[in-house]
Amino acid sequence: NAGVMQNPRHLVRRRGQEARLRCSPMKGHSHVYWYRQLPEEGLKFMVYLQKENIIDESGMPKERFSAEFPKEGPSILRIQQVVRGDSAAYFCASSPGQAPNTEAFFGQGTRLTVV
Amino acid sequence: AQSVTQPDIHITVSEGASLELRCNYSYGATPYLFWYVQSPGQGLQLLLKYFSGDTLVQGIKGFEAEFKRSQSSFNLRKPSVHWSDAAEYFCAVGARGFKTIFGAGTRLFVKA
């Protein structure tokens, strides 16, 4: 059973471009969480999704950021018109039920660099 | 407001020495508490968790943590540190069913 797969591992974008980050949850997991880690900081919750539904996006910036978890395929975190401040590591986690009641497993992250 | 504080940004211990990493939390109800470890360039791995019951929790890799409600603390301990334990450690509290709030982390250095 493969773990949570995130790709790409590293992504470089110029200011104003779009960034698409993908997360394939573990098999059998229908709950996905996205976190952002800025340098020298802990992880900050962004959004919680179940299949085809956004459950809580209270940690997402109101503009330029969006997330989806379609019926088929990976969850996508999309950042439009990236700016230097978006440079961070973005982690995805998945769980079979609603965390923290069940353990969430983390992917290795996507490190986004905006130049 | 819910929060997690890890007072030590960096800690250096000698290999074979004991380790204690501090964690204090602020949460209105009985918390779900976690310790994660992150090696450079890697994701987070769960070391242990506390939901209820025995306040001394055993985890993987020889780690344990003790929940002390009176002190709002959940300190991580290991009796003898190995060089491979060098990493960043995050304390976290589970909030509102799914939002996990992380501390800023403590980076552990192990010297020979």
Side-chain angles (χ1 to χ4, degrees), chain A residues 11-103:
Chain A
L11 182 62
V12 179
R13 285 288 178 265
R14 297 186 184 279
R15 281 178 293 170
Q17 290 185 319
E18 178 181 285
R20 278 181 172 250
L21 288 64
R22 294 175 185 77
C23 169
S24 296
M26 288 180 68
K27 187 177 180 181
H29 289 193
S30 59
H31 300 249
V32 166
Y33 317 83
W34 284 94
Y35 292 84
R36 177 165 62 176
Q37 184 180 32
L38 295 170
E40 306 301 322
E41 294 187 17
L43 280 72
K44 298 287 194 290
F45 168 81
M46 298 182 74
V47 61
Y48 163 39
L49 310 103
Q50 292 184 38
K51 283 286 186 181
E52 299 184 274
N53 289 303
I54 296 174
I55 307 302
D56 187 305
E57 57 182 348
S58 58
M60 288 267 276
K62 292 290 185 279
E63 298 178 350
R64 302 188 297 108
F65 285 72
S66 62
E68 63 176 12
F69 188 16
K71 186 177 181 180
E72 301 291 337
S75 175
I76 306 287
L77 179 67
R78 183 181 176 206
I79 311 172
Q80 295 178 293
Q81 299 176 319
V82 296
V83 301
R84 288 249 171 91
D86 296 332
S87 295
Y90 292 83
F91 288 93
C92 167
S94 73
S95 64
Q98 189 178 86
N101 303 62
T102 59
E103 180 180 345

Side-chain angles (χ1 to χ4, degrees), chain B residues 72-111:
Chain B
S72 297
S73 69
F74 189 56
N75 293 350
L76 181 71
R77 300 194 294 250
K78 186 169 184 177
S80 177
V81 168
H82 188 263
W83 65 267
S84 61
D85 293 325
E88 187 145 25
Y89 291 81
F90 292 95
C91 180
V93 59
R96 295 190 60 190
F98 52 83
K99 290 181 189 176
T100 301
I101 298 170
F102 287 82
T106 298
R107 186 169 295 279
L108 173 65
F109 297 95
V110 180
K111 60 182 181 181

Side-chain angles (χ1 to χ4, degrees), chain B residues 3-99:
Chain B
S3 65
V4 178
T5 301
Q6 293 181 246
D8 304 305
I9 298 174
H10 303 110
I11 280 187
T12 301
V13 299
S14 298
E15 191 169 16
S18 64
L19 170 71
E20 183 169 28
L21 302 182
R22 296 183 290 164
C23 172
N24 293 96
Y25 67 89
S26 173
Y27 189 67
T30 300
Y32 298 100
L33 293 162
F34 308 85
W35 274 100
Y36 287 89
V37 60
Q38 183 181 32
S39 298
Q42 301 298 312
L44 277 72
Q45 181 181 24
L46 181 66
L47 286 175
L48 47 78
K49 61 189 176 187
Y50 171 78
F51 284 1
S52 64
D54 193 346
T55 56
L56 185 62
V57 181
Q58 301 298 320
I60 62 171
K61 303 185 180 185
F63 285 92
E64 66 177 26
E66 186 171 11
F67 170 56
K68 292 185 177 180
R69 184 188 301 275
S70 62
Q71 298 176 20
S72 297
S73 69
F74 189 56
N75 293 350
L76 181 71
R77 300 194 294 250
K78 186 169 184 177
S80 177
V81 168
H82 188 263
W83 65 267
S84 61
D85 293 325
E88 187 145 25
Y89 291 81
F90 292 95
C91 180
V93 59
R96 295 190 60 190
F98 52 83
K99 290 181 189 176

